[in-house]
Every structure is written in C-alpha cells, then in structure tokens.
Amino acid sequence: MKMMGKYVLSITVLLISMALAMSIGSVHIPISTIWDTTDESNYNILWSIRVPRVLLAALVGASLAMAGAAFQGLLKNPLADPYTLGVSSGASLGAVATIYFGFSSSILGIFTLPVFGMIGAAISLVVVLSFAKLVDRTMKMETLILSGIIVSSFLSSIISLMIALTGEEIRQIVTWLMGSVSMRGWPYVQMIWPFMLVGAILVWLNRRELNAMLFGEERARYLGVNVKRSKWMIMIGGAMLTGSAVAVSGTIAFVGLVVPHMTRMLFGSDHRHLLPLSLINGATLLVLCDLIARTIIAPTELPIGVITSFIGAPVFSYIFFKQRKRKA
C-alpha cells in the first residue's frame, strides 16, 4: 500500500468512527440530519452534547498517541508511553492540585487546568529520566519502566492524600481521575486544542531527528543533529500533549502505548509518517472506546479508562514478552 493510501485509509476510518459516535446513543440520530435545524431536539443533542464529546475524545486520543510515538522514538523503547513513564501521573497531580487548591488565574482563564497539567507532566518526565540515568546510565528498558512505576506510585500517593483530605471536591476529583470525556462540552475542546496543536508541531518538527536518533546519539550528531535541543523540544512537546489531554479527560491509560505500536507494525517506523498516522489512529481508537464505554451497559456509562486498560494491558504484556524473548 502506497503511503497516500495509508493516510486515506486512516482518515476514512476516523471519519466513519466519528459519524457512528455522533449517531449512536440513547437517542439515535441519523448523521444525515446533522445540519438539519428543523428538528430542534436532535439538533441540540448533537451540537450541545455529542459533537463536542466526539471532538474531545478525538483530540485526547490524538494527543496521547502522538506523545507515545514521540517518547518511544526518543527513548528507543516500544514500552515507553505517557502512562508507563509516569508522565500521566505528573499531569494528573498538576490538574488535581489545581482543583483541590482552587487555583485560578485571570491571565490564563480556562487554560489554568491544562497549563498546570503540562507543568506536572514536564516535571515528572524530567524526574523519571534523571532517576533512570542515575541508576543506569544506559537507561535500559527495565530501568525506565521501574523508574516510571516508582515516580508514578509516589505521585499517586500524593493524589490519594489530597482525596482523603478533600471535602466537596472529592466526587469531582474521583470522577475525573477515572478518565472520561462525558459532560465536558465545548469549553474543554477550547481548552485542549491550542496546546495539542503547539505540542504536535514541536514533535513534528523533530521527525527527522527522531529517525536519526534511532541509530544512536553519536550517529545522529555525525549527521548534524543538535541532539540536546531536539531532546528538549520533543520532551516539551510530549509534555504539552500529555498534560493538556490528562487535564481535560483524566487518566486514560495505554493509548500512547497501543496506537504507536500498532501503527508501526502496519505502516512502518519512519517518524515522518508514524507521528501523523499515530495522531489520526489515536483519535479513532479513543472515539470508538468512548462509544463502547457509553453504550455497552447503557444507560450506565463506564469510564473510558476502563476500556483502554482492557485493550492496553494485554498489548503491553505481549510487547514486554516479545522484547524479553528477543533479548534472551
């Protein structure tokens, strides 16, 4: 399949998924009536609830998948993703702290939550990488994963402490931590897309550098890559993508692990195409997972993080087993 055909296929699947998600629900609405203003009830359901929900799911999935592809390329590790590296936990702590302490900024406005989420994500990523390098300068796969688990566990304990001490905000925090795009609306779409755009551009600008770094940092330097600058740009871009996604949807695991891995298997490992295709396919996966989460035991909704974990945990086990077997 030629590369253009791969993009056409991925985009077509995404559009079909979004159309299904907008149409299916407690009230079935034919997608052909999306612009029909004569039926006020259906029109309000679509444009007030379903369209922003589907768009938010797509933006969150795209952000997490592209961040995962960037971290995997940067660390040359197929098990690296925002969740396993502890970056999602850092973003969660930043966002929970914002809710718990009632932080607000007249300058940041509605962007206060994603900004603190990004700060938490960036700090946790630096801590994980620094700790892993301190333990093992080669930063082997096992060291990175264990470092991510250690940092993630510590940050989770702080979040648990906040939940134990909180009062009226506990329901909001617990619901948010389970991962969901339910009842978010247009303000949350406005909240994520500027940071997703900037983060995606920062990562995309380093697509060739990621390809060069797959052969090792020394080889990349020989090819003219400013490795230090590229690393920082990729980490900042990945933190922006992860922090903004977690801030608006809560902790949704394994999207950044599963999507880049499957995209790499199907379409190749060239980051010039892996990054945008992961973005598109990540959006598709989370739109479909959200559709399943709200329809599988309707009228009750499952947290979307439950669905992604059901998919992600077996894939994580498979990749880990495959890596260990290859080394053995």
Side-chain angles (χ1 to χ4, degrees), residues 147-204:
S147 299
I149 291 171
I150 291 167
V151 173
S152 181
S153 299
F154 177 71
L155 297 178
S156 296
S157 67
I158 298 175
I159 293 171
S160 298
L161 177 63
M162 288 183 181
I163 291 173
L165 295 175
T166 194
E168 296 178 359
E169 300 88 358
I170 188 168
R171 188 178 184 83
Q172 182 186 0
I173 292 174
V174 171
T175 303
W176 177 87
L177 280 173
M178 295 174 75
S180 175
V181 290
S182 174
M183 303 305 291
R184 298 295 199 265
W186 289 108
Y188 283 82
V189 175
Q190 295 172 334
M191 205 181 289
I192 184 177
W193 79 261
F195 300 104
M196 178 207 162
L197 181 63
V198 174
I201 290 172
L202 282 175
V203 172
W204 168 249

Side-chain angles (χ1 to χ4, degrees), residues 20-230:
L20 287 172
M22 290 177 193
S23 177
I24 298 172
S26 55
V27 177
H28 177 73
I29 302 174
I31 199 63
S32 57
T33 64
I34 191 168
W35 303 110
D36 184 8
T37 58
T38 56
D39 190 334
E40 190 174 342
S41 175
N42 285 353
Y43 188 80
N44 286 335
I45 291 172
L46 271 172
W47 288 99
S48 299
I49 300 172
R50 291 196 189 163
V51 173
R53 177 170 182 157
V54 170
L55 284 176
L56 186 63
L59 290 171
V60 170
S63 298
L64 293 174
M66 194 171 194
F71 289 144
Q72 288 173 15
L74 178 64
L75 301 171
K76 299 183 285 295
N77 188 331
L79 290 175
D81 91 314
Y83 186 75
T84 57
L85 286 176
V87 182
S88 291
S89 295
S92 297
L93 178 59
V96 167
T98 305
I99 297 170
Y100 178 76
F101 292 108
F103 290 144
S104 61
S105 169
S106 56
I107 298 173
L108 295 174
I110 63 168
F111 299 122
T112 303
L113 193 63
V115 165
F116 277 94
M118 286 185 294
I119 292 171
I123 292 172
S124 65
L125 179 60
V126 171
V127 171
V128 168
L129 294 178
S130 301
F131 182 73
K133 196 168 186 179
L134 189 66
V135 174
D136 179 4
R137 292 191 66 82
T138 61
M139 289 204 293
K140 292 178 182 176
M141 176 180 66
E142 295 87 349
T143 307
L144 277 170
I145 293 170
L146 287 173
S147 299
I149 291 171
I150 291 167
V151 173
S152 181
S153 299
F154 177 71
L155 297 178
S156 296
S157 67
I158 298 175
I159 293 171
S160 298
L161 177 63
M162 288 183 181
I163 291 173
L165 295 175
T166 194
E168 296 178 359
E169 300 88 358
I170 188 168
R171 188 178 184 83
Q172 182 186 0
I173 292 174
V174 171
T175 303
W176 177 87
L177 280 173
M178 295 174 75
S180 175
V181 290
S182 174
M183 303 305 291
R184 298 295 199 265
W186 289 108
Y188 283 82
V189 175
Q190 295 172 334
M191 205 181 289
I192 184 177
W193 79 261
F195 300 104
M196 178 207 162
L197 181 63
V198 174
I201 290 172
L202 282 175
V203 172
W204 168 249
L205 289 174
N206 288 274
R207 61 197 182 279
R208 298 182 189 278
E209 287 77 0
L210 280 168
N211 281 341
M213 283 190 281
L214 287 175
F215 300 100
E217 292 184 13
E218 289 301 321
R219 180 73 179 275
R221 288 192 184 94
Y222 178 75
L223 294 172
V225 175
N226 187 331
V227 174
K228 188 175 182 180
R229 186 192 68 182
S230 297

Side-chain angles (χ1 to χ4, degrees), residues 223-299:
L223 294 172
V225 175
N226 187 331
V227 174
K228 188 175 182 180
R229 186 192 68 182
S230 297
K231 275 184 170 183
W232 276 108
M233 286 184 69
I234 294 164
M235 286 195 294
I236 291 169
M240 290 186 75
L241 289 166
T242 305
S244 58
V246 172
V248 298
S249 66
T251 306
I252 298 176
F254 294 118
V255 175
L257 175 80
V258 172
V259 176
H261 181 70
M262 299 306 295
T263 303
R264 195 180 290 108
M265 287 178 61
L266 293 171
F267 304 129
S269 57
D270 185 347
H271 284 89
R272 293 176 300 172
H273 305 295
L274 177 62
L275 291 171
L277 285 170
S278 292
L279 182 145
I280 297 166
N281 295 330
T284 301
L285 176 66
L286 210 63
V287 167
L288 291 175
C289 285
D290 181 54
L291 176 60
I292 294 169
R294 62 185 169 85
T295 57
I296 193 169
I297 55 170

